[in-house]
Amino acid sequence: MTGEQLERMLTDDGWPFEKLDDHTWRSGFKSEGQEPFRMFVRTTSNWLVLTIVPFVTAPADDADALALFRRMLELNREITLAKLALDKRDVILTVELPLEGLQASQLKDGLDAMVFYANSHHAELSSLAKLGA
């Protein structure tokens, strides 16, 4: 998949974006009653990666963050197509799609998953992060 093909798919699905480099685009979305989410779209040699970073910021003390980390693990078992990860103190919500043969409908499914899971779990995870802070 070329960058032009990806941009056409994003445009056709109504996603605004800004190209940051040959492999990275910034986009985002805002749902009613939520703060806007900033999302990055990145291609590697084999994958298209959709990422909200930071999705939540974990407390600095691991003991304080235990409830957040536990819930992230539970959600990783429950949710499909997406996963939660930790990069230093940033909780990341991400979807990884194989680039080979990627169809517009599969990209739409990935984007829809990001929106759905962000809207479904941000408030809960933010609350857990603040409890430990």
Side-chain angles (χ1 to χ4, degrees):
M1 167 181 291
T2 66
E4 292 84 19
Q5 290 170 319
L6 175 59
E7 289 176 5
R8 188 171 32 257
M9 287 182 190
L10 290 169
T11 299
D12 289 350
D13 199 29
W15 283 88
F17 61 86
E18 173 188 1
K19 186 173 185 174
L20 302 179
D21 63 37
D22 288 343
H23 300 281
T24 310
W25 295 260
R26 179 174 38 224
S27 187
F29 58 94
K30 182 172 178 9
S31 299
E32 190 173 327
Q34 299 269 5
E35 291 295 315
F37 291 103
R38 179 182 61 175
M39 180 176 64
F40 294 93
V41 178
R42 181 154 177 79
T43 58
T44 67
S45 57
N46 297 310
W47 296 94
L48 176 73
V49 183
L50 311 171
T51 306
I52 298 174
V53 58
F55 184 56
V56 172
T57 302
D61 185 279
D62 286 342
D64 290 341
L66 186 59
L68 172 64
F69 296 162
R70 176 183 294 277
R71 185 62 181 139
M72 288 170 57
L73 287 170
E74 292 169 349
L75 287 171
N76 276 342
R77 183 163 189 249
E78 294 171 14
I79 64 179
T80 57
L81 196 57
K83 64 183 175 182
L84 293 157
L86 193 61
D87 181 16
K88 297 183 176 89
R89 302 320 293 171
D90 289 335
V91 174
I92 299 164
L93 177 63
T94 190
V95 169
E96 297 171 344
L97 302 167
L99 268 180
E100 187 174 340
L102 185 68
Q103 301 295 311
S105 62
Q106 294 167 309
L107 175 59
K108 180 173 178 28
D109 289 345
L111 292 164
D112 288 349
M114 290 292 284
V115 172
F116 178 78
Y117 292 127
N119 288 332
S120 297
H121 300 295
H122 185 262
E124 176 190 12
L125 294 178
S126 291
S127 176
L128 289 171
K130 289 176 185 165
L131 284 175

